[in-house]
Amino acid sequence: MDFQLTDDQRALRDGVRALLEGRFGRQALRTALDTPGLDRSLWRELGEAGFFALTLPEAEGGVGLGLPEAVLAFEQAGRVLLPGPLVATHLAADARVPGAATGQAVVTAVQGGLVEWLDEADVVRGDASGAVPLRSVDPLTPLHRVPDGGGTDPLAAPLADPLAAPLAVLLTAAEQLGSASRTCELAVQHARTREQFGRPVGAFQAVKHLCAGMLERVGTARAAVYAAAVTADPLDIAAARLLADEAALHGARDCLQVHGGMGFTWESDVHLHLKRAWVRARRSGDVTESEEMLAGDLLVDPPGAAV
């Protein structure tokens, strides 16, 4: 099986990256921190570009691509910390929720007792009655808590696609992968340019080891996420989720270490990646659910057990 990207997939990845970096570059990210709320014009631009309709059939107004292409797009969204309920809106487009595919509607969902961007959403999937606002650790992801978990998780039950729950996990893993890749780049860039004792800090062995570990985790997570996008197997997706979460969370912490005290300041972007990674890790069920799924698959009958 060939997991190498095709020319068309590379073109899609590069095109989405150019769109997002041009429309939501670092200056736009810092502006978003100072002006709470979802940028509706950006949301509509994403819809016009087909971001939410990548896997929707062409006959229904979509782009008609597959899950691997959606993963590539969401990886780029993770790189730039694009805000908003991206995964929920994408799945809503597949479920034919009016306005979701074109970006005319912002769709969120109750997941694990939490709901993102509730005040900005036009459509809420699941019961958000009695939701109360939380102080989110991520300044670009407002959260509400729903009493009693909000009933059935709409992304855990079959919708238009029986893979809805695994797809939510995989697209979130793709975002984590993009964030991990970006923090690795930030760490290497800082290690090359920041000098201490007359030498770049990257010349010191401890910093080299941190950067090497980040690169290794990103590469492993990328292989797992891309493979899961091809197989669409729930177990592969669970493994990809664990590796992507580790790459994003551990990588952001290591990036902070490389930056030293500078990484903890508000002016740095590193802490934003860590905070978003924390929030994503709670989405679509916590890591424990993926661990339990994989552990269950590994169970074997004890010696002498009846068959």
Side-chain angles (χ1 to χ4, degrees), residues 206-242:
V207 176
K208 289 180 181 179
H209 285 177
L210 286 173
C211 292
M214 294 173 66
L215 182 61
E216 181 182 12
R217 285 189 295 272
V218 169
T220 303
R222 176 171 286 116
V225 170
Y226 285 9
V230 173
T231 67
D233 182 90
L235 290 173
D236 291 342
I237 290 174
R241 187 250 174 84
L242 293 176

Side-chain angles (χ1 to χ4, degrees), residues 8-9 12 50 53-58 62-70 94:
D8 287 343
Q9 288 172 333
L12 172 68
L54 285 168
T55 57
L56 194 66
E58 292 185 75
V63 182
L65 297 177
L67 184 55
E69 288 75 22
D94 281 351

Side-chain angles (χ1 to χ4, degrees), residues 186-195 199-203 207 258:
L186 290 172
V188 172
Q189 179 183 4
H190 185 79
R192 286 175 173 171
T193 57
R194 177 68 173 178
E195 292 191 358
R199 303 170 62 191
V201 296
V207 176
V258 172

Side-chain angles (χ1 to χ4, degrees), residues 108-187:
T108 191
V110 180
Q111 301 181 68
L114 296 175
V115 54
E116 302 177 6
W117 293 94
L118 179 60
D119 291 338
E120 296 279 357
D122 301 304
V123 178
V124 181
R125 309 189 76 186
D127 184 7
S129 301
V132 295
L134 295 178
R135 183 177 180 181
S136 176
V137 67
D138 177 17
L140 289 176
T141 307
L143 294 172
H144 281 71
R145 184 181 299 280
V146 180
D148 302 321
T152 302
D153 182 345
L155 299 184
L159 299 174
D161 189 331
L163 288 177
L167 292 187
V169 173
L170 182 58
L171 294 179
T172 297
E175 288 185 284
Q176 294 281 60
L177 172 61
S179 185
S181 177
R182 181 56 183 155
T183 53
C184 183
E185 293 172 1
L186 290 172

